[in-house]
Amino acid sequence: MNTGALRALEFDRIVEAVRRFAQTPQGAVRLAALQPSVGVQAVAALLDATSETVRFLAENQVGLQAPAELETILTGLGVEGRALEPLHLTALAVFVASVEATCAAVRRGRATFPILRAIADTTASFDDEIADIRRKIEPSGEVVDDASPELRSVRERLRKQRTRLRGTLESYLRGKDTAKYLQQQIVTDRNGRYVLTVRSEHRSAIPGIVHGSSGSGASLFLEPLSTVEINNDIVALEQQEAEEIRRILVALSDAFRRRAEDLQRTVEAATDLDVLQARARFSIMIDGTSPAIATDGRLELRGARHPLLIPAVRRHLGTVTGAADADVEKVAAAAAQDRAPVPVDVLIIPPVQVLVITGPNTGGKTVALKTAGLLGLMAQAGLLIPVAGGSQITVFQSVFAAIGDEQSISASLSTFSGHIANVVLMERSLELPALVLLDEAGAGTDPVEGGALAMAIIEHFRVRGATVVATTHYDALKSYASTTEGVTPAGFGFDPQTFAPTYRLNYGSPGSSLALEIATRLGMPASIIEQARAHRSERETQLADHLAKIERDMQALEHEHRLAARERQTLAETGAKLQAREHDLRHREDTFRRKLDERIEERLREARREIDAVVAKLKIKADSMAIDAERRAARLVPTGESGGARADARAALDAIGERLRKTAGDPQAGPETSAKPPAVGDRVLVGGLGLEGVVRALHDREAEVDVRGKRLRAKVGELRVLTSAASVSAQPARVQVNVELQPRSGQVSELNLIGCHVDEALARAERFLDEALVGEARSVRVIHGYGTGQLRRALAEFLRTHPFVASFAAAPGEQGGGGVTVVELKE
């Protein structure tokens, strides 16, 4: 990758921002050498690793606690027999423990992180070594007494000897005969031995060994003879203590030294994790996205933002990017007020190979150019980039940038010469796929010749197959971009009232430079501006006006486009809300219908149980009345008592039917009978007999009632109106149950269901069994035939659950066989 391009695009500042997230010295070194990769598979792997780490950091932390002197510690372990310092050992223990904790978090994560897991699995556990260090060394670096029995013994003897020495020396400080010879009432240390400070003139007053004098010579440092042996013991014990401590530290160091390969793998894994977490944290800071990898040379950056203009990055680095060109300075000045950069779309999609960016000065052309190059380099280095979804990049083998003033006094290069030298280098080193960035191509010389040269340079690189992004103010290049196949123009917009830049790139038409307008905004005297306008040719004035009109038209179209997009979004949201509401209403309707059906089913089951109870009571009462009737006559005749029983049963059954109609939502549901006098055509209940009939005629206080085709006379007062003649036709279907207390004449003991559907057959079978039960039948036959067997199976299932069926079976062969079912009823 061309180093000049990396420098011109300020890739080194991105590297510095990422490096500042490093948690280990090794990670910082590796990140400082971060370079874009040129392999498609390598770039894809780098982006995948960074994306996975971003997901990991969303719920976890990577806390690698590496000491700054980690490299020194590892070097010390490489020297056989060398003891590490206590603080170095504790720092090493903390480091490997933090690596193990991070790897454990990777392994137990709720989501799967295959890339991080592969790194974590290469580490080794140092639990025993860590525990040994923490047991023997305090966090402050002090080796504890219990580090070994020998160390405890030596330190106990040291404490005793020091206590003895302190008592002896304090006797000199307190003694009347000795205290007067002392310069100071203190005990001090000289060369590791405890001494008294004696006045020089009293040298012989206290026998002892002199270990030096003060700077003025007025005081001597005297070791009394009585403490010499004690001091000797203390010095010897201190040497033993130091040797034991060194032995302990060597043993602790050797524990890591013996596992050098495991430690090396763990350090390498920690470095890999550190590099990944640094790349991920920087990507999170810029709200980065992983772009798709394209293979057709496209550069599709949607909603791109220059990372060095993002407020968080500026705060992280501590300074605003130091760009030399006016555009970047202007944008950086705006960004310094904590305003995020305006996103820009940089779109070079085949068959387009060249993007020519035009527009006013300070409008953002150079920033867009740098953004295109820098984001591509960042992605190739494995960093997520601040773009919107749908962005794609090509992995470029070479990236070149001619940006800013290339002049060099020492190399005798002018601005123009510097640009040409840079272009020549591009030509020699071009390797496809390539990205060429040209800022103000052809600048620094005659505008006409410079424009022609810039056009030729761009066309040359286009023919060579490179992807080119160029900025210009030349009219010749604007015309070239608008009329050449494979080249697209784009211009930065501006406010037509104030001529302030909008930093938005509009594709399809070149932008006006607005040099005079921008100069006016920057405070140029009006007289100079007027003279400049007078010096412009008519053609230049017309072109400037034309470009200004195009800019206004483009802004109007963009405004309409935004309004239409907003309207579409509103319609889509409204449609989604209506659809959700319709779905909710349909769901509520289905729920209500289901609950209503369940309620009706439950009421029907309750009604069935109540009817069964009524029928059972009637059977008991009928048996009792039958016995009484046998005593009165040879033939059973309905009496007033049986009529009353019928009336009671009828009232109970009518009440059940009324509840069922109310449950089913019958708006006509109401009282079954009426107290009004009966009229011809009314359906009535004859109270004394418990029979239902229709009034056919009225004679004073008597009425003729048609009961099942037979006429009988009854008193009007004994009749209760069930349904008036006027409402018979409009009356909805009622639930009616007829109960016969006497066996019907010619009781049928056989039911033929051949030709019936299953539902119809089961309904007829249920009525048939009810009639048979009231008629006290004990055995009945149901004829269903053979057919497909569906009716026979449905009937068998029905009979199996019927409360009054004792048993059922197929009839004998001579009585119909499998086509007939014989049913035995309960008593």
Side-chain angles (χ1 to χ4, degrees), residues 375-445:
L375 295 191
L377 295 175
M378 288 172 56
Q380 290 183 222
L383 299 172
L384 307 190
I385 57 178
V387 294
S391 298
Q392 301 185 54
I393 65 159
T394 294
V395 177
F396 295 108
Q397 297 295 310
S398 54
V399 176
F400 301 98
I403 300 175
D405 193 348
E406 300 290 338
Q407 71 173 336
S408 173
I409 296 176
S410 61
S412 300
L413 290 177
S414 66
T415 299
F416 178 73
S417 301
H419 276 295
I420 297 304
N422 205 343
V423 172
V424 171
L425 177 61
M426 296 179 190
E427 165 60 23
R428 291 175 180 174
S429 307
L430 189 70
E431 184 179 355
L432 298 178
L435 176 63
V436 177
L437 306 173
L438 301 172
D439 186 31
E440 302 295 347
T445 187

Side-chain angles (χ1 to χ4, degrees), residues 753 756 758 761-762 782-800 808-811 816-821:
L753 299 178
C756 296
V758 171
L762 295 181
V782 180
I783 303 172
H784 47 73
Y786 290 93
T788 61
Q790 182 178 2
L791 179 58
R792 175 175 56 82
R793 289 191 296 271
L795 181 64
E797 184 63 27
F798 167 74
L799 295 174
R800 188 175 292 108
F808 64 91
V820 178
T821 297

Side-chain angles (χ1 to χ4, degrees), residues 392-538:
Q392 301 185 54
I393 65 159
T394 294
V395 177
F396 295 108
Q397 297 295 310
S398 54
V399 176
F400 301 98
I403 300 175
D405 193 348
E406 300 290 338
Q407 71 173 336
S408 173
I409 296 176
S410 61
S412 300
L413 290 177
S414 66
T415 299
F416 178 73
S417 301
H419 276 295
I420 297 304
N422 205 343
V423 172
V424 171
L425 177 61
M426 296 179 190
E427 165 60 23
R428 291 175 180 174
S429 307
L430 189 70
E431 184 179 355
L432 298 178
L435 176 63
V436 177
L437 306 173
L438 301 172
D439 186 31
E440 302 295 347
T445 187
D446 178 76
V448 176
E449 293 183 352
L453 181 61
M455 189 188 312
I457 292 172
I458 294 173
E459 183 65 16
H460 173 76
F461 284 118
R462 185 185 73 83
V463 173
R464 285 285 303 272
T467 300
V468 182
V469 182
T471 66
T472 187
H473 289 287
Y474 291 149
D475 292 340
L477 275 182
K478 295 177 182 178
S479 300
Y480 163 77
S482 301
T483 58
T484 305
E485 184 177 357
V487 182
T488 186
F492 274 98
F494 59 90
D495 189 322
Q497 302 299 325
T498 64
F499 299 105
T502 62
Y503 303 113
R504 298 189 182 279
L505 195 58
N506 303 315
Y507 283 78
S509 64
S512 176
S513 296
L514 298 177
L516 300 181
E517 289 78 1
I518 298 300
T520 302
R521 288 187 65 244
L522 297 177
M524 181 69 71
S527 59
I528 297 177
I529 299 299
E530 290 302 322
Q531 289 182 15
R533 293 185 190 279
H535 290 320
R536 285 196 309 185
S537 66
E538 183 179 353

Side-chain angles (χ1 to χ4, degrees), residues 578-594:
L578 290 175
Q579 187 175 2
R581 183 178 300 175
E582 181 182 358
H583 176 74
D584 181 60
L585 289 175
R586 189 180 300 112
H587 175 71
R588 292 170 61 185
E589 181 181 354
D590 292 342
T591 302
F592 176 76
R593 185 183 295 110
R594 184 174 62 255

